[in-house]
Amino acid sequence: EVQLLESGGGLVQPGGSLRLSCAASGFTFSSYAMSWVRQAPGKGLEWVSGINNNGDSPSYADSVKGRFTISRDNSRNALFLQMNSLRAEDTAVYYCAKDRVDQVENNFDYWGQGTLVTVSS
Amino acid sequence: ETTLTQSPAFMSATPGDKVNISCKASQDIDDDMNWYQQKPGEAAIFIIQEATTLVPGIPPRFSGSGFGTDFTLTINNIDSEDAAYYFCLQHDTFPPTFGQGTKVEIK
């Protein structure tokens, strides 16, 4: 059974940093691209960042480019999102999502339950 | 960026009803449309792929239709367990974008 379990969310002040993790199990993690998607309170979903199976060629939404960094450790079956210079508008539930192929196509077949990030003073 | 306009935002249905949820794309996205179901506190579940194909293991009362810019998720003979948030995703253009979601309540 595929499982994606996010962690690392919490309350952080504006300008602060946070690192999210996504622990994957039930599939060959190193064979699939992965992404982060977020949902702000009362808003729709927004794709944040994606990375291919080898960790090459990360891509980012314009809203987070230069502040967020996606990475993965295939030996640990883990996906990460380093979030710096956080803003109030980054407040959201962050989900990790599995792609159906090795490259980032954003065609997701599995999602995690999410972790809440709150940016507030 | 492709905008997805999903409607309605909320609907209330009675068990046995037929429910339609619409997702309209601001440009042609072929059949690169997926539908998902999410219940509070749970991971989203993949229910329809490539606009019309039922994901294995999903009950056949769920179906998808459409191509290009207009898409519909249909739930026939809706059940109380179908109470959830439903959203569409287009993966044809970059960045991928989502509909605003539909909350389905069962009376």
Side-chain angles (χ1 to χ4, degrees):
Chain A
E1 178 191 5
V2 171
Q3 289 198 326
L4 300 171
L5 185 62
E6 302 93 338
S7 61
L11 175 64
V12 60
Q13 293 190 336
S17 298
L18 214 53
R19 189 191 196 211
L20 305 184
S21 299
C22 173
S25 61
F27 64 102
T28 305
F29 181 73
S30 60
S31 296
Y32 297 94
M34 299 291 295
S35 282
W36 289 98
V37 176
R38 68 185 180 183
Q39 186 168 29
K43 305 283 189 179
L45 292 153
E46 177 191 20
W47 175 83
V48 172
S49 180
I51 190 168
N52 71 5
N53 66 316
N54 290 326
D56 302 329
S57 306
S59 51
Y60 300 94
D62 288 344
S63 58
V64 306
K65 200 172 293 184
R67 300 187 299 123
F68 289 12
T69 302
I70 191 171
S71 63
R72 62 191 295 161
D73 184 340
N74 286 344
S75 69
R76 294 164 52 194
N77 292 344
L79 176 72
F80 305 101
L81 186 68
Q82 177 66 42
M83 304 186 296
N84 297 332
S85 303
L86 282 162
R87 306 166 180 167
E89 54 263 37
D90 296 317
T91 294
V93 175
Y94 285 73
Y95 300 95
C96 65
K98 171 187 169 293
D99 221 311
R100 298 177 70 190
V101 294
D102 57 348
Q103 299 301 304
V104 175
E105 291 191 353
N106 303 303
N107 190 349
F108 308 127
D109 56 359
Y110 289 96
W111 296 69
Q113 293 179 296
T115 187
L116 176 63
V117 172
T118 303
V119 184
S120 174
S121 53
Chain B
E1 178 171 311
T2 302
T3 300
L4 296 183
T5 302
Q6 185 174 342
S7 62
F10 173 84
M11 66 188 320
S12 185
T14 300
D17 282 352
K18 177 180 178 179
V19 163
N20 289 312
I21 299 171
S22 170
C23 200
K24 295 184 186 295
S26 60
Q27 61 184 291
D28 190 327
I29 57 167
D30 290 341
D31 63 353
D32 294 330
M33 169 67 72
N34 296 344
W35 291 93
Y36 301 86
Q37 175 196 70
Q38 187 175 29
K39 297 181 179 180
E42 298 183 9
I45 295 172
F46 189 22
I47 57 175
I48 298 290
Q49 56 185 310
E50 312 315 317
T52 61
T53 303
L54 190 67
V55 171
I58 300 301
R61 63 179 178 273
F62 290 90
S63 64
S65 62
F67 187 90
T69 60
D70 287 2
F71 301 86
T72 301
L73 171 69
T74 299
I75 310 173
N76 284 294
N77 191 24
I78 200 166
D79 188 89
S80 59
E81 69 179 20
D82 301 330
Y85 175 80
Y86 294 85
F87 62 90
C88 54
L89 157 70
Q90 71 80 19
H91 56 89
D92 185 71
T93 66
F94 182 85
T97 49
F98 298 86
Q100 289 292 95
T102 297
K103 183 177 180 180
V104 175
E105 171 194 88
I106 307 298
K107 297 172 189 171

